[in-house]
C-alpha cells in the first residue's frame, strides 16, 4: 500500500491557500527552502506537478487544483473530528446550523433569509458568523460553515470548489437626512454631484457597482466615510453627515427606522444576494428550506 505524507500535503495546502511560498513560510514559521523541498517531495510522491511559476507568482496546475480540493476535505475532516471529540457539539437532542454572513449583507435581508431556520420545527441551534467574503470562503471550505450568505458569488478562479445559488436581487436606493436633502440640488441623480457620500468598504460588490456608474454619469460626490458595518453607515447618514445607499427592497424600513428620505432609486444598479455551499446538491433540510424560501422571504420585506 502506498502511503501519503500528510505533513507534506499540509505544507502544499498552506502554500496554495496563502498564494505563495513566502506567505506560507510566515504562516507556518518554516524556512522558504524547507517548505519548497517538502512540496517538491509531495510532487515526486504523487508523480505530478502541482505548482508552476508564472512570473513572480505560483499558480496551481490542473493536478494541483485536484489535490488542493482533496486536501480541503482531508483537513476539514480532521477539524471536524477534533470538534466532535472536544465536547463542543450542540446540546443533546439539538442540531447546530452555522451560517456565515458577509459584512456587506444588510441585516434585515439576512434576518429574513434566516427565517426558515429561526422557525424550524425541531430543536436547532443557529450560529451566525460575520466576516469578509474571503475569510468566510475559507471557513466554508474547511466545513466550519454549513452555509454562506453573501452579496457576491464564488469568485472566478477561486481555489475553493464551492457553488453559489442566486437568491434574488434589488435595485439600489439613495437616502439622506431631510436637512441634508434640502441643501442638495432637487434633481436625482444630479444631486449626488458634490454631495457627501457614505459607503461600504472598498472592494465590496456593491461598491464596485456604484463607483463606475458615478464615473459614467460624471457625478463626483465627496467620499467622506466608509465602513464594513452598514448599520453604522446608516446611523451616520441619519445624523445628516452624508448620503448613503441600500437595496430598494428595504427602503421603507430604512426610511422608518432612520428618519431619512429616499432621494431616488436606480434600476441599473442592482445588488444580488447569494447562498454559497460546498455541494451543488444540498442534502441538509434546513439549508434546503432557506434556499427554497429565499424569494418568498425577500418579497416579505418589500
Amino acid at each position: 500500500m502506498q502511503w501519503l505524507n500528510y505533513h507534506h500535503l499540509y505544507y502544499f495546502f498552506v502554500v496554495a491557500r496563502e498564494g505563495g511560498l513566502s506567505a506560507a513560510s510566515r504562516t507556518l514559521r518554516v524556512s522558504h527552502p524547507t517548505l519548497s523541498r517538502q512540496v517538491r517531495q509531495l510532487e515526486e510522491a504523487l508523480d505530478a506537478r502541482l505548482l508552476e511559476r508564472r512570473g513572480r507568482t505560483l499558480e496551481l496546475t490542473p493536478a494541483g487544483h485536484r489535490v488542493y480540493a482533496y486536501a480541503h476535505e482531508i483537513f476539514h475532516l480532521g477539524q471536524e473530528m477534533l470538534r466532535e471529540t472536544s465536547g463542543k457539539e450542540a446540546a443533546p437532542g439539538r442540531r447546530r446550523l452555522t451560517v456565515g454572513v458577509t459584512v456587506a449583507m444588510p441585516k434585515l435581508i439576512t434576518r429574513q433569509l434566516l427565517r426558515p431556520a429561526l422557525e424550524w420545527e425541531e430543536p436547532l441551534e443557529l450560529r451566525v458568523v460575520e466576516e469578509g467574503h474571503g475569510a468566510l470562503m475559507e471557513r466554508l471550505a474547511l466545513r466550519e460553515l454549513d452555509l454562506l450568505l453573501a452579496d457576491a458569488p464564488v469568485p472566478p478562479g477561486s481555489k475553493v470548489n464551492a457553488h453559489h445559488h442566486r437568491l434574488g436581487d434589488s435595485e439600489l436606493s439613495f437616502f439622506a437626512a431631510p436637512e441634508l436633502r434640502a441643501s442638495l440640488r432637487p434633481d436625482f441623480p444630479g444631486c449626488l454631484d458634490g454631495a457627501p457620500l457614505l459607503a461600504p468598504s472598498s472592494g465590496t460588490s456593491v461598491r464596485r457597482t456604484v463607483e463606475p456608474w458615478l464615473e459614467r454619469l460624471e457625478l463626483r460626490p465627496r467620499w467622506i466615510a466608509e465602513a464594513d458595518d452598514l448599520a453604522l453607515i446608516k446611523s451616520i447618514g441619519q445624523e445628516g453627515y452624508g448620503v448613503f445607499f441600500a437595496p430598494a427592497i428595504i427602503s421603507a424600513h430604512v426610511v422608518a427606522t432612520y428618519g431619512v428620505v429616499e432621494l431616488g432609486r436606480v434600476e441599473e444598479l442592482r445588488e444580488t444576494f447569494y447562498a454559497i455551499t460546498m455541494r451543488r446538491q444540498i442534502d441538509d433540510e434546513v439549508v434546503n428550506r432557506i434556499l427554497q424560501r429565499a424569494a418568498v422571504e425577500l418579497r416579505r420585506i418589500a
Side-chain angles (χ1 to χ4, degrees):
M1 179 177 180
Q2 185 179 2
W3 292 96
L4 174 66
N5 188 317
Y6 289 95
H7 198 66
H8 294 169
L9 181 65
Y10 184 68
Y11 278 7
F12 160 74
F13 172 72
V14 176
V15 170
R17 186 187 65 192
E18 299 296 325
L21 289 166
S22 297
S25 294
R26 291 191 295 270
T27 300
L28 295 167
R29 298 184 180 180
V30 174
S31 71
H32 194 292
T34 299
L35 194 56
S36 179
R37 184 171 60 253
Q38 303 241 11
V39 171
R40 211 162 42 242
Q41 288 173 353
L42 176 65
E43 290 179 321
E44 291 170 0
L46 298 176
D47 193 23
R49 189 72 179 271
L50 304 178
L51 297 163
E52 59 185 8
R53 187 164 292 283
R54 297 282 178 84
R56 302 183 65 181
T57 62
L58 282 176
E59 294 186 4
L60 289 170
T61 64
H65 278 288
R66 291 195 297 272
V67 172
Y68 184 77
Y70 279 116
H72 262 304
E73 294 285 343
I74 289 168
F75 296 121
H76 153 67
L77 288 173
Q79 290 296 317
E80 188 175 274
M81 179 189 69
L82 290 174
R83 286 197 303 273
E84 290 298 320
T85 57
S86 66
K88 295 181 179 178
E89 62 273 5
R94 302 174 70 90
R95 63 151 298 188
R96 174 181 292 167
L97 181 76
T98 304
V99 180
V101 179
T102 57
V103 292
M105 280 288 290
K107 300 294 187 293
L108 179 61
I109 290 175
T110 299
R111 185 187 73 193
Q112 207 67 27
L113 290 173
L114 290 176
R115 182 191 286 265
L118 295 169
E119 297 177 350
W120 194 246
E121 300 84 359
E122 300 170 4
L124 175 72
E125 289 184 12
L126 175 64
R127 180 169 181 258
V128 178
V129 179
E130 189 177 44
E131 285 187 84
H133 197 284
L136 289 173
M137 285 292 293
E138 289 289 342
R139 296 185 71 160
L140 181 71
L142 291 170
R143 300 301 201 280
E144 295 176 6
L145 304 176
D146 299 296
L147 173 69
L148 169 55
L149 299 177
D151 61 318
V154 177
S158 173
K159 296 172 185 173
V160 180
N161 186 28
H163 304 276
H164 55 255
H165 314 261
R166 186 178 177 278
L167 302 177
D169 66 1
S170 170
E171 60 188 335
L172 287 183
S173 289
F174 287 76
F175 304 88
E179 60 273 22
L180 176 58
R181 179 66 185 102
S183 69
L184 301 176
R185 288 166 44 179
D187 60 311
F188 178 84
C191 61
L192 300 177
D193 193 36
L197 190 62
L198 310 166
S201 298
S202 301
T204 55
S205 178
V206 67
R207 179 79 174 263
R208 291 195 299 269
T209 299
V210 170
E211 285 182 336
W213 176 76
L214 291 170
E215 292 176 5
R216 189 167 64 253
L217 296 184
E218 298 184 346
L219 299 173
R220 298 176 178 81
R222 294 180 287 114
W223 299 82
I224 64 167
E226 63 176 45
D228 291 333
D229 190 334
L230 300 186
L232 176 61
I233 287 290
K234 294 181 181 71
S235 295
I236 296 174
Q238 178 182 29
E239 297 297 320
Y241 290 107
V243 174
F244 62 92
F245 47 87
I249 59 172
I250 63 171
S251 177
H253 170 79
V254 171
V255 169
T257 302
Y258 296 96
V260 294
V261 294
E262 183 178 352
L263 303 180
R265 54 184 65 185
V266 185
E267 173 66 30
E268 67 180 284
L269 294 181
R270 305 198 73 83
E271 187 167 9
T272 306
F273 313 108
Y274 299 89
I276 302 177
T277 59
M278 284 303 295
R279 297 185 185 277
R280 191 180 300 277
Q281 298 297 323
I282 311 301
D283 55 10
D284 186 295
E285 289 182 276
V286 187
V287 173
N288 254 323
R289 181 81 64 85
I290 291 172
L291 268 57
Q292 292 167 1
R293 291 189 56 83
V296 173
E297 297 303 336
L298 289 175
R299 281 199 298 271
R300 284 191 183 187
I301 304 173

